[in-house]
Amino acid sequence: MEQDAEKLGTILSAAPVVPVIIHDDVATARNLAEALVAGGLVNIEVTLRTPNALKVIEEMAKVDGAVVGSGTVRKKDDMKASANAGCQFMVSPGAPVKLLEDAEDIGVPLLPGIASPTEAMAASLLGYTYLKFFPAEAMGGAAVLKAFASPLPDIKFCPTGGIDMEKAKGYLKLPNVICVGGSWTVPADAIAAKDFDTIRTLAADAAKLSA
């Protein structure tokens, strides 16, 4: 049940930040994706936490240059729906064995979440090279991932959870971090106001960070 590490690594290395979005307005989905891509953040994670999330994903997937993924994937039905909506990657908050087994049947790479060395090792034994470290700040932040680097040198992480622009800089300096996930580039007030210029600017600032 090996992860498609080559494909996922290519996706995650395309930009230093993956915007994590909770969005339910299908009408503005493309505008939001266009603003992020224009700013240089081509990877977009849309969490499956709203009634119209899959429709939002479908619309964003139509944007040139956008690589749209689904987030908060918790079961096989979520993965099937994600694939049908045009996702190119999927993200889960955890890494239960059943989910990793079910991912074998889906032609879309999964980035499962872990919060401890034991969980990281368990996922690695099942063929997973890239993992989400979640909730990153609540679990100790960059200092914990720095400690992971020596005993787990073959695993790369995308930390997500409580990260802002300044904290992202610390994570991205670590050798075992391929990118970070965060919502600071898509503030709710800017989305509500349809202020896509601000979102494009925030994305451009984030895109200048380096992993």
Side-chain angles (χ1 to χ4, degrees):
M1 85 182 58
E2 290 194 2
Q3 178 185 54
D4 190 343
E6 183 177 356
K7 182 176 181 179
L8 191 56
T10 298
I11 290 172
L12 297 178
S13 62
V17 178
V18 179
V20 180
I21 302 169
I22 301 174
H23 193 66
D24 198 52
D25 185 5
V26 179
T28 59
R30 291 185 71 167
N31 302 100
L32 179 53
E34 286 167 352
L36 291 167
V37 172
L41 299 184
V42 295
N43 301 325
I44 302 169
E45 178 188 336
V46 179
T47 60
L48 302 182
R49 303 183 199 175
T50 66
N52 290 317
L54 290 168
K55 293 180 180 178
V56 167
I57 288 169
E58 289 178 357
E59 286 301 304
M60 288 187 170
K62 298 174 184 176
V63 174
D64 287 343
V67 179
V68 185
S70 60
T72 323
V73 172
R74 297 178 55 194
K75 55 187 183 293
K76 192 169 188 177
D77 285 347
D78 292 339
M79 293 190 283
K80 288 180 178 178
S82 297
N84 291 336
C87 282
Q88 295 189 53
F89 66 100
M90 305 176 295
V91 185
S92 173
V97 171
K98 180 67 164 60
L99 188 72
L100 303 190
E101 290 176 342
D102 286 344
E104 285 188 86
D105 300 328
I106 310 297
V108 179
L110 173 68
L111 179 71
I114 65 90
S116 71
T118 297
E119 291 172 319
M121 289 170 62
S124 177
L125 289 170
L126 293 174
Y128 279 71
T129 301
Y130 294 97
L131 300 172
K132 169 182 174 178
F133 178 53
F134 176 82
E137 283 297 296
M139 296 308 298
V144 171
L145 275 186
K146 183 178 180 180
F148 281 9
S150 182
L152 305 172
D154 55 326
I155 304 175
K156 299 291 184 182
F157 297 93
C158 172
T160 303
I163 299 175
D164 57 22
M165 182 76 166
E166 287 305 310
K167 290 172 183 173
K169 295 175 182 177
Y171 283 103
L172 291 168
K173 290 178 181 177
L174 300 177
N176 57 344
V177 170
I178 189 169
C179 63
V180 303
S183 59
W184 80 89
T185 59
V186 283
D189 55 350
I191 293 176
K194 299 181 180 178
D195 184 1
F196 299 111
D197 287 338
T198 290
I199 291 170
R200 184 174 64 249
T201 299
L202 290 170
D205 290 341
K208 293 174 185 174
L209 298 171
S210 59

